[in-house]
Amino acid sequence: MGMRARVLMSAVVLAALIGSVIAPPSKAATPLPDPARAGFADRLYRLDCGHSLANDESVWTPGENVGRPIEFSSTCWLIKRGGKWLLWDTGVPESALNDPKGWSTLPQLIVYHLDKTISGQLSAVGLKPDDIQYVAISHTHGDHIGNVALFPNATVLIQRVEYEWISSPDGPNANVNQLKALARKLMGTPKHLQLLDGNTDVFGDGSVTLFPTPGHTPGSQSLLVHLRKSGFIILSGDVAHLDANFRNNVVPTLNTDKAASIASMEKVRTMMGTYHAQLFINHDKAQTDTLKIIPAFYD
Ligand SMILES: [Zn+2]
C-alpha cells in the first residue's frame, strides 16, 4: 500500500471511529416474529408506577366528558428471559413518593401520585437497578421516563424518531411543547442508548419484540411478549389510554398525529388477531386493577 493510500485508509478508519463515538449504536429493523416459531420469555411482572387524577376527561375523549375528572393507572412491566431482565417504562419519578401535592407533567391538567418506588418493587424479587440489562421506553412523556436515571448501566431502547423529536423545534400545541421540554430533562443523555428504526427483536428469538405505534407521539412504540402459559401479550404504551378509546378509535387531543394514532390502533388490533394476543392498556385503571402485580407474575 502506497503512502497516499495508507493516509486515506487511516482517515477512513478515524472517521468511522469518530462516527461510532458520536452516534449512538442503532439496531436494524427486524420482521415481526412468526407466531408458530417465536421463543418464550420466562416471566412478566407488573409494577405499580403511580396513578393520576386529571380534571378534564375530554382531553382523552374529545367532545365528551368535558370537565369530568378521571383517574388513570401508570404501569411499568418487568420481563425475565433467561438470565436477562428488561424493564418496560419507568413511571413517575421516585422523588414523588408519598408527596401529598403529587407530581405533574402538565400541572393545569393532571397530577400523579406514587405509593411505591420501582426500586422497592424490584427488591421484592431480589433485584437491584443494576441487574436490569434493558430499559425499553414506550415514549418520552414524563410519566413513562421519570426514572430512566435510576438505571445508568442499562441499555436504553427507544425509537430514533422519538429521541430526535424531543429536541426538534416547538410546534403549535403548548402542552406538547411543555411535555417535550420535560422529556429532554428526564431523558438526559443515557450512557448506553440504542436508537431503534422500527420493529426490534430484543433477544433475537421473537420472545420480546418492540414495534412502532406512532401517533400519541411521533416515535411511540408498543411491546409484544410471548409466554409459555399466557401466550402473546401486547403492552400498549400509550397507543390507547382507555379500552373504550381503543375499541372506538378515539384519539386524545394531546396526540401529535390523529391519522397515525388510528392506524396504530388498527395495527394493534390486527396483531391481536395474528398472535391471539391480549392487550394490557397502561393507563386504563379499570383493567390494570384486575391484573397480577409483582411479586406475582405471568408466565
Ligand atoms: Zn403519553
Side-chain angles (χ1 to χ4, degrees):
M1 194 184 289
M3 185 65 172
R4 186 177 292 217
R6 226 175 276 162
V7 169
L8 187 66
M9 178 86 165
S10 37
V12 168
V13 169
L14 190 66
L17 278 174
I18 291 170
S20 68
V21 170
I22 293 168
S26 61
K27 238 175 142 82
T30 44
L32 287 172
D34 176 342
R37 292 185 177 186
F40 297 97
D42 304 301
R43 291 180 177 191
L44 172 69
Y45 294 91
R46 173 170 72 94
L47 278 68
D48 177 349
C49 275
H51 55 100
S52 58
L53 203 61
N55 57 25
D56 184 2
E57 185 175 348
S58 72
V59 169
W60 291 270
T61 55
E64 285 179 52
N65 308 307
V66 177
R68 213 178 94 167
I70 180 168
E71 190 173 16
F72 292 109
S73 50
S74 277
T75 314
C76 304
W77 294 91
L78 176 68
I79 296 173
K80 178 178 193 288
R81 187 206 160 275
K84 298 231 157 100
W85 295 90
L86 177 146
L87 182 66
W88 171 244
D89 283 340
T90 69
V92 174
E94 288 200 344
S95 57
L97 183 68
N98 296 327
D99 182 344
K101 294 191 308 299
W103 178 85
S104 191
T105 49
L106 294 168
Q108 74 280 22
L109 175 65
I110 190 164
V111 177
Y112 294 85
H113 294 278
L114 192 66
D115 312 314
K116 299 171 180 181
T117 60
I118 284 205
S119 34
Q121 292 174 82
L122 291 177
S123 73
V125 290
L127 295 174
K128 304 178 297 301
D130 266 2
D131 295 324
I132 308 299
Q133 279 78 30
Y134 294 105
V135 172
I137 299 297
S138 65
H139 66 296
T140 53
H141 285 164
D143 53 319
H144 296 255
I145 59 168
N147 296 298
V148 169
L150 269 183
F151 304 91
N153 296 314
T155 297
V156 176
L157 302 173
I158 182 170
Q159 292 289 329
R160 179 188 304 280
V161 175
E162 183 75 2
Y163 192 71
E164 291 177 351
W165 169 66
I166 60 174
S167 299
S168 68
D170 280 350
N173 186 322
N175 281 341
V176 172
N177 296 338
Q178 199 175 331
L179 289 169
K180 283 166 64 183
L182 178 64
R184 291 193 290 275
K185 190 171 137 204
L186 291 172
M187 274 302 285
T189 309
K191 198 162 49 164
H192 308 288
L193 179 64
Q194 197 156 57
L195 299 181
L196 314 178
D197 293 308
N199 300 333
T200 302
D201 180 347
V202 178
F203 297 106
D205 63 352
S207 59
V208 176
T209 307
L210 302 169
F211 62 98
T213 43
H216 179 57
T217 61
S220 280
Q221 59 181 349
S222 304
L223 184 151
L224 175 71
V225 56
H226 190 207
L227 296 160
R228 262 175 223 285
K229 287 192 205 148
S230 308
F232 286 96
I233 294 173
I234 293 173
L235 306 180
S236 63
D238 283 1
V239 71
H241 290 69
L242 301 164
D243 184 51
N245 280 10
F246 179 67
R247 280 186 280 107
N248 300 310
N249 278 346
V250 175
V251 177
T253 60
L254 284 168
N255 283 24
T256 57
D257 187 327
K258 186 173 175 182
S261 299
I262 291 171
S264 289
M265 286 190 271
E266 275 166 6
K267 177 182 186 177
V268 168
R269 269 193 295 277
T270 302
M271 287 177 60
M272 288 170 76
T274 306
Y275 294 98
H276 302 291
Q278 304 178 70
L279 175 66
F280 290 169
I281 302 178
N282 186 315
H283 292 302
D284 188 318
K285 191 170 185 304
Q287 186 200 43
T288 300
D289 287 348
T290 67
L291 302 179
K292 294 179 186 180
I293 187 157
I294 197 167
F297 55 84
Y298 296 88
D299 60 357

